[in-house]
Amino acid sequence: MKSPVQVTITGAAGNIGYALAFRIASGQMLGEDQPVTLRLLEVPQSVATLGGLAMELEDCAFPLLHDVVLTDDLSVGFQDCNYALLIGAKPRTKDMQRSDLIADNGSIFAAQGRAINEHAARDIRVLVVGNPANTNALIAAANAPDINRRNFTAMTRLDHNRARTQVAIKAGHAVADVRQITVWGNHSSTQFPDLTHCLIDGTPAFELVSRDWADDDFIPTVQHRGTAIIEARGASSAASAANAAIDHMRNWALGTDEDDWVSMAIPSDEGHYGIDTDLVFSYPVVCKDGDYQVVTGLEVDDYMREKFVTTEQELVKERDIVAELLKPAG
Amino acid sequence: MKSPVQVTITGAAGNIGYALAFRIASGQMLGEDQPVTLRLLEVPQSVATLGGLAMELEDCAFPLLHDVVLTDDLSVGFQDCNYALLIGAKPRTKDMQRSDLIADNGSIFAAQGRAINEHAARDIRVLVVGNPANTNALIAAANAPDINRRNFTAMTRLDHNRARTQVAIKAGHAVADVRQITVWGNHSSTQFPDLTHCLIDGTPAFELVSRDWADDDFIPTVQHRGTAIIEARGASSAASAANAAIDHMRNWALGTDEDDWVSMAIPSDEGHYGIDTDLVFSYPVVCKDGDYQVVTGLEVDDYMREKFVTTEQELVKERDIVAELLKPAG
């Protein structure tokens, strides 16, 4: 049996954390031969609630669950952490501007970045789920100068999975038939779910569905799916968000399927596809041996370029709002 | 790829259903080569809520999820059903006698038994989770005369898993070291979590923990764990109950580990261990080739016999309360 790895979940007392913890402990994220210690981090007023979650984890008798640590202390929460799922973030309240939310949440991720820099394993892999996820990942990376920036990512896998299903339904195919779909850019309503290189059972998607359908139906459906879920459930996505986080981390750790890629929001430092080099931008990536590589060489036409620019500009604006949090501590 | 099997979840809009549906669709219950159609059954006033759950299932792009059916019609819900997880039951309200609850819930399970008899696959495997689970399973079986009674079971696996962890913690061992633990009888506070034949890393449990600890701490802790969870969470067990349901069904379908057994509440028709032959009683069982067999030949001393009688008597009383529901329809 391998040695246990340390997996940190922030905002663990929330609904995504509740859906996530059991699936990680069951082996679905890192494989059925990888023991885990769960480090569940919460704000002080929610640590008590974590007690019930810890009891239920005990009650599952998971053979892979080595230990559960409950804490409101960042230095404990990120101690030797190998995998961090940063879920916790403040929700937007009614009379709050989006820019205030971004700045407010940004300070949480700056503090977490500093704690990661000081306490985590040097090869920590970070997935940010809490919104605005891309910009929060950028902030965390900027505040962890001793950790490779590549290791800070944000989640667009839920969008990717949503896009996969929507085009499968439209084309009358099984989801498993859909390959090479991409979500580009920001995990927000400016994201670009892209069928340009998508294959459905080997056939180019645009031979099976129309470009008009993609523009008028598919793209807005995927972009606004989060809101539709809230309307249908009376609560935001929890289990499907947790599932996407599992998918993101499993692929990163254990590899992607051959002949396919997935969408991950990653630091754009390498400048692929002409994107500003200081953002966290979602790209098509393949994962192997615990690392990811951007899929390069895809043809980009004017239509795609325009979509890239829209979501890139939004990310630049978000970055401007949190500029103070991106400066290395003096 | 195998053909899809039909998996029915009743009360699917509840918290256990929410925790369960995603894990089944991900392949954890029936294996990663077994596609499933989920048939989600609810009372009419909750079918709308199922819409959100179905959307989130779509958003996971599970390759094994063949279809999702939402219904409040028993004949649709159990159509060709291969695996039924009967979760939905009325909770006890403040001024309600337990006997009223039993009778009230019993009629739900009588109706489900009739629908199963009429519409389900002949080899359906039924797991009752809704309380009082053992007696509800007895009722469902009695109302499905064309289905083998063996195929109606109730869940004591959550108790079994809880017992495993508690003794592992006390003995200072990993949960994976604990084998041959048994929960006998009713899924209620009269259950008998039994360490008599339990081995911890090959050593008899009672060489590592005392009989006094078992009597004064272990048994009451396991018996009343459900209440403790409610106190800690402010809500009843959901993810751990769903996990136990997964474990129960997976072992039944795919087999138990060698050199170990699990606890399942099953019809006592064969009279093992001298139990009344018309109850659903939890026994140690091994599963193989999609069937279960009671572990026979375990020595039963006076201490154990007394515990058996207590939980057996409770089940007989429950049976008396629902006697009308156990008569074959005229």
Side-chain angles (χ1 to χ4, degrees):
Chain A
M1 190 68 99
K2 297 179 185 175
S3 309
V5 294
Q6 308 293 312
V7 178
T8 302
I9 304 176
T10 72
N15 292 326
I16 298 177
Y18 189 68
L20 193 54
F22 296 84
R23 293 191 61 191
I24 295 173
S26 75
Q28 283 196 314
M29 188 169 92
L30 297 172
E32 298 198 355
D33 60 347
Q34 180 57 67
V36 296
T37 290
L38 287 178
R39 308 184 82 85
L40 307 180
L41 189 61
E42 260 297 353
V43 291
Q45 61 271 29
S46 296
V47 171
T49 315
L50 288 179
L53 169 55
M55 288 171 74
E56 281 205 84
L57 285 165
E58 282 183 1
D59 289 356
C60 293
F62 289 119
L64 293 173
L65 185 57
H66 183 256
D67 198 5
V68 178
V69 176
L70 313 181
T71 186
D72 60 3
D73 180 335
L74 293 176
S75 67
V76 175
F78 290 110
Q79 185 64 49
D80 299 323
C81 173
N82 304 105
Y83 297 90
L85 298 110
L86 308 186
I87 316 290
K90 287 184 197 169
R92 186 167 167 183
T93 53
K94 224 172 166 181
D95 47 3
M96 196 179 212
Q97 297 296 316
R98 183 169 156 86
S99 57
D100 291 339
L101 176 76
I102 291 173
D104 226 27
N105 270 319
S107 60
I108 297 173
F109 290 83
Q112 291 178 356
R114 289 191 296 272
I116 286 169
N117 198 55
E118 213 164 320
H119 302 287
R122 299 299 88 181
D123 64 348
I124 184 175
R125 292 180 177 85
V126 179
L127 168 62
V128 177
V129 176
N131 282 319
N134 300 49
T135 295
N136 289 338
L138 190 72
I139 294 168
N143 285 275
D146 302 333
I147 305 283
N148 191 331
R149 283 168 63 85
R150 290 177 64 75
N151 293 11
F152 289 85
T153 68
M155 190 166 92
T156 49
R157 184 58 174 270
L158 180 53
D159 310 300
H160 177 100
N161 287 345
R162 285 166 170 169
R164 236 181 130 191
T165 298
Q166 292 303 315
V167 74
I169 291 171
K170 180 67 178 176
H173 273 262
V175 152
D177 293 341
V178 178
R179 294 192 293 120
Q180 298 182 192
I181 211 162
T182 308
V183 172
W184 301 89
N186 200 3
H187 171 64
S188 76
S189 60
T190 67
Q191 65 177 266
F192 171 34
D194 175 22
L195 298 174
T196 310
H197 304 91
C198 172
L199 299 175
I200 301 179
D201 202 15
T203 303
F206 281 135
E207 292 182 16
L208 299 171
V209 302
S210 73
R211 287 177 185 270
D212 282 350
W213 173 78
D215 280 340
D216 300 341
D217 195 330
F218 169 76
I219 292 176
T221 295
V222 175
Q223 287 173 332
H224 301 289
R225 183 75 168 179
T227 309
I229 297 282
I230 290 173
E231 278 165 16
R233 291 192 68 218
S236 61
S237 323
S240 57
N243 181 71
I246 297 268
D247 283 351
H248 178 113
M249 282 301 210
R250 186 183 60 235
N251 285 143
W252 191 359
L254 305 177
T256 39
D257 290 343
E258 279 198 34
D259 299 325
D260 200 5
W261 62 61
V262 296
S263 303
M264 284 172 64
I266 59 170
S268 60
D269 308 25
E270 294 171 8
H272 293 293
Y273 296 101
I275 302 301
D276 180 295
T277 55
D278 188 22
L279 297 174
V280 168
F281 193 91
S282 182
Y283 285 106
V285 302
V286 293
C287 303
K288 201 181 163 183
D289 301 329
D291 200 5
Y292 62 80
Q293 299 295 338
V294 171
V295 176
T296 55
L298 299 176
E299 204 179 328
V300 176
D301 59 18
D302 290 348
Y303 171 88
M304 289 174 66
R305 177 64 53 200
E306 191 185 316
K307 301 277 190 197
F308 286 5
V309 169
T310 302
T311 194
E312 180 187 26
Q313 284 178 344
E314 184 185 42
L315 284 167
V316 169
K317 272 189 200 149
E318 290 185 13
R319 185 180 62 194
D320 289 346
I321 293 168
V322 299
E324 282 302 313
L325 297 169
L326 297 171
K327 292 179 186 162
Chain B
M1 190 69 98
K2 298 179 184 175
S3 309
V5 294
Q6 308 292 313
V7 178
T8 302
I9 304 176
T10 72
N15 291 328
I16 297 177
Y18 189 69
L20 194 53
F22 296 84
R23 293 191 61 189
I24 295 174
S26 76
Q28 284 198 314
M29 188 169 92
L30 297 171
E32 298 199 354
D33 59 347
Q34 180 56 68
V36 297
T37 290
L38 286 178
R39 309 185 83 84
L40 307 180
L41 190 61
E42 260 298 350
V43 291
Q45 61 270 29
S46 296
V47 171
T49 315
L50 288 179
L53 170 56
M55 288 170 74
E56 279 206 84
L57 284 165
E58 282 183 1
D59 289 356
C60 293
F62 289 120
L64 293 173
L65 184 57
H66 184 256
D67 199 6
V68 179
V69 177
L70 313 181
T71 185
D72 59 3
D73 180 336
L74 292 176
S75 68
V76 175
F78 291 109
Q79 185 64 49
D80 299 324
C81 173
N82 303 104
Y83 297 89
L85 298 110
L86 308 186
I87 316 289
K90 288 184 196 166
R92 186 167 167 185
T93 52
K94 223 171 166 182
D95 47 2
M96 197 179 211
Q97 297 295 316
R98 181 167 157 89
S99 58
D100 291 340
L101 176 76
I102 290 173
D104 225 29
N105 270 319
S107 60
I108 297 173
F109 290 84
Q112 291 178 356
R114 290 192 295 272
I116 286 169
N117 198 55
E118 213 163 319
H119 302 286
R122 299 299 88 180
D123 64 348
I124 183 176
R125 293 181 179 85
V126 180
L127 168 62
V128 178
V129 175
N131 284 319
N134 298 51
T135 296
N136 289 339
L138 190 72
I139 293 167
N143 286 275
D146 302 334
I147 305 285
N148 191 332
R149 284 169 62 83
R150 289 178 64 75
N151 293 10
F152 290 84
T153 67
M155 190 166 93
T156 49
R157 184 58 173 270
L158 180 53
D159 310 300
H160 177 100
N161 287 345
R162 287 166 168 170
R164 236 182 130 190
T165 298
Q166 292 303 317
V167 74
I169 292 171
K170 180 66 178 177
H173 272 262
V175 151
D177 292 340
V178 178
R179 294 191 294 119
Q180 298 181 191
I181 212 162
T182 309
V183 172
W184 301 89
N186 200 3
H187 172 63
S188 76
S189 60
T190 68
Q191 67 177 265
F192 172 33
D194 176 21
L195 298 175
T196 309
H197 304 91
C198 172
L199 298 175
I200 302 179
D201 202 14
T203 302
F206 280 137
E207 293 182 16
L208 299 172
V209 303
S210 73
R211 288 179 184 268
D212 281 351
W213 173 77
D215 280 340
D216 300 341
D217 195 330
F218 170 75
I219 293 177
T221 295
V222 176
Q223 287 173 333
H224 301 290
R225 182 76 169 178
T227 309
I229 296 283
I230 291 173
E231 279 165 16
R233 290 193 68 219
S236 60
S237 323
S240 57
N243 181 72
I246 297 267
D247 283 349
H248 177 114
M249 284 301 211
R250 186 184 60 235
N251 285 143
W252 191 359
L254 305 178
T256 38
D257 290 343
E258 280 199 34
D259 300 325
D260 200 5
W261 62 61
V262 297
S263 303
M264 284 173 63
I266 59 169
S268 60
D269 307 26
E270 294 172 7
H272 293 293
Y273 297 100
I275 302 302
D276 181 295
T277 56
D278 189 21
L279 298 173
V280 169
F281 193 91
S282 183
Y283 285 107
V285 303
V286 292
C287 303
K288 201 180 164 184
D289 300 329
D291 199 6
Y292 62 80
Q293 300 296 337
V294 171
V295 175
T296 55
L298 299 175
E299 204 180 329
V300 176
D301 59 19
D302 290 349
Y303 171 88
M304 289 173 66
R305 177 62 54 201
E306 191 186 315
K307 302 279 189 196
F308 286 6
V309 169
T310 302
T311 194
E312 180 187 26
Q313 283 179 344
E314 184 186 43
L315 284 166
V316 169
K317 272 189 198 149
E318 290 185 12
R319 185 179 63 195
D320 289 346
I321 293 168
V322 298
E324 281 303 313
L325 297 169
L326 297 171
K327 292 177 187 163

